[in-house]
């Protein structure tokens, strides 16, 4: 029995060593790229669902400035903040922000652009998606066409938050939109037509106001992608909390 045990131990030592010898070397990413980024955040803070949008700019000197739209449970807030980014590994960095914004750990693409992040604030279980936001003016014609999305959110009913899911198809023209939403609220299906418009606040940042066929109103904070590929929104009121990235899939003919 002793000889079998020793042979088993020898195998456990030998096999990983041979595997390690064939492992590819980790690639070092390019240096973090200063610029502006759209950040879409979703998860939980304590017992409450969380959704957020940020438009954040990284400067060459490591400083950060941004604008944040945040919904935690039924509470909504808008703030401006400052902070710093710091590289901590070949393809990772941290972003620390002042009291108006929580910190993040962020992974970079090979090209040095932030791609995914995670909140490091105590009590958060929140992931982040980062998208480049090139400099440029957001104009009505840039969003004309078809927009599609799928999204997961939460609905507050009977004193508790329950999940919902929605798919949408919209047609945009001159920042006006008409769409169809197919929803599932805790298993109960719903189909609703709606209309709305984007109200510009500061270049690509603004509000979307919509009304469905039943007369229910919806308000969102919205950030248009400056490359014309779509937009992100955060529901700011009501019993639903949804944050979503919507893709522009076709231009108007």
């Amino acid at each position: 029995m002793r000889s079998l045990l020793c042979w088993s131990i020898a195998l456990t030592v030998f096999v990983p060593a041979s595997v390690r010898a064939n492992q590819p070397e980790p690639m070092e990413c390019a240096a973090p790229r200063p610029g502006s980024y759209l950040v879409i955040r979703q998860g939980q803070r304590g017992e409450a669902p969380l959704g957020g949008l940020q438009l954040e700019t990284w400067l060459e000197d490591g400083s950060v400035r941004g604008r944040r739209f945040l919904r935690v449970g039924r509470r909504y807030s808008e703030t401006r903040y400052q902070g710093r980014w710091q590289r901590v590994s070949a393809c990772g960095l941290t972003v620390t922000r002042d009291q108006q914004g929580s910190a993040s750990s962020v992974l970079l693409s090979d090209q040095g652009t932030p791609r995914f992040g995670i909140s490091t604030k105590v009590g958060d279980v929140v992931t982040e998606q980062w998208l480049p936001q090139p400099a440029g003016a957001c104009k009505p014609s840039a969003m004309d066409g078809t927009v599609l999305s799928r999204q997961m959110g939460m609905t507050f009913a009977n004193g508790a938050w329950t999940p919902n899911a929605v798919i949408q198809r919209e047609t945009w023209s001159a920042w006006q939109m008409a769409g169809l939403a197919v929803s599932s609220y805790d298993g109960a299906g719903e189909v609703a037509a709606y209309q709305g418009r984007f109200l510009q606040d500061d270049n690509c940042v603004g509000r979307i106001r919509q009304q469905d066929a039943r007369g229910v109103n919806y308000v969102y904070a919205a950030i248009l992608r400056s490359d014309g590929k779509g937009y992100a929104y955060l529901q700011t009121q009501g019993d639903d909390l949804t944050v979503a990235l919507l893709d522009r899939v076709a231009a108007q003919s």
Side-chain angles (χ1 to χ4, degrees):
M1 295 296 292
R2 177 177 295 179
S3 63
L4 289 174
L5 178 61
C6 292
W7 179 243
S8 175
I9 293 173
L11 280 175
T12 61
V13 173
F14 173 75
V15 174
S18 65
V19 171
R20 284 196 300 271
N22 296 321
Q23 289 294 315
E25 290 294 323
M27 179 180 290
E28 183 165 342
C29 297
R33 302 180 73 173
S36 293
Y37 297 96
L38 167 61
V39 188
I40 302 153
R41 311 178 71 229
Q42 187 168 28
Q44 294 276 132
R45 176 165 293 174
E47 298 298 320
L50 179 148
L53 299 177
Q54 290 172 201
L55 192 58
E56 185 164 292
T57 300
W58 294 1
L59 304 179
E60 291 276 3
D61 63 2
S63 63
V64 166
R65 64 172 183 263
R67 185 175 180 181
R68 182 190 69 166
F69 305 86
L70 180 67
R71 178 95 180 264
V72 181
R74 300 177 68 85
R75 300 189 309 275
Y76 174 73
S77 62
E78 299 180 17
T79 52
R80 296 184 183 271
Y81 61 86
Q82 297 181 343
R84 297 197 63 80
W85 61 264
Q86 181 178 10
R87 194 168 186 173
V88 294
S89 66
C91 293
L93 54 79
T94 59
V95 184
T96 56
R97 305 177 180 94
D98 62 18
Q99 67 272 18
Q100 302 299 331
S102 57
S104 302
S105 292
V106 181
L107 294 179
L108 303 174
S109 69
D110 292 349
Q111 294 74 36
T113 56
R115 186 67 180 275
F116 296 112
I118 194 165
S119 172
T120 59
K121 180 180 176 65
V122 175
D124 277 8
V125 182
V126 176
T127 59
E128 303 169 346
Q129 180 178 0
W130 292 64
L131 297 168
Q133 182 79 341
C138 283
K139 299 180 180 179
S141 59
M143 278 296 298
D144 287 356
T146 301
V147 175
L148 291 171
S149 75
R150 64 178 180 87
Q151 53 204 258
M152 298 287 293
M154 302 292 288
T155 299
F156 189 77
N158 300 318
W161 290 95
T162 57
N164 68 59
V166 184
I167 54 175
Q168 292 174 259
R169 186 183 191 278
E170 297 177 346
T171 301
W172 281 57
S173 179
W175 283 346
Q176 307 286 322
M177 72 204 68
L180 183 71
V182 182
S183 309
S184 173
Y185 291 93
D186 200 21
E190 179 181 290
V191 179
Y194 60 89
Q195 294 183 334
R197 59 177 178 157
F198 173 76
L199 304 170
Q200 189 179 40
D201 178 11
D202 180 14
N203 195 15
C204 300
V205 178
R207 315 282 166 176
I208 289 178
R209 297 186 180 274
Q210 295 175 343
Q211 185 177 76
D212 68 18
R214 301 170 301 165
V216 179
N217 294 308
Y218 302 88
V219 181
Y220 305 89
I223 301 177
L224 306 184
R225 296 180 64 178
S226 56
D227 55 13
K229 293 182 179 179
Y231 70 99
Y233 72 42
L234 170 67
Q235 193 161 358
T236 62
Q237 44 69 252
D239 293 329
D240 293 330
L241 193 166
T242 301
V243 58
L245 176 65
L246 299 93
D247 296 325
R248 179 172 174 261
V249 297
Q252 279 188 335
S253 58

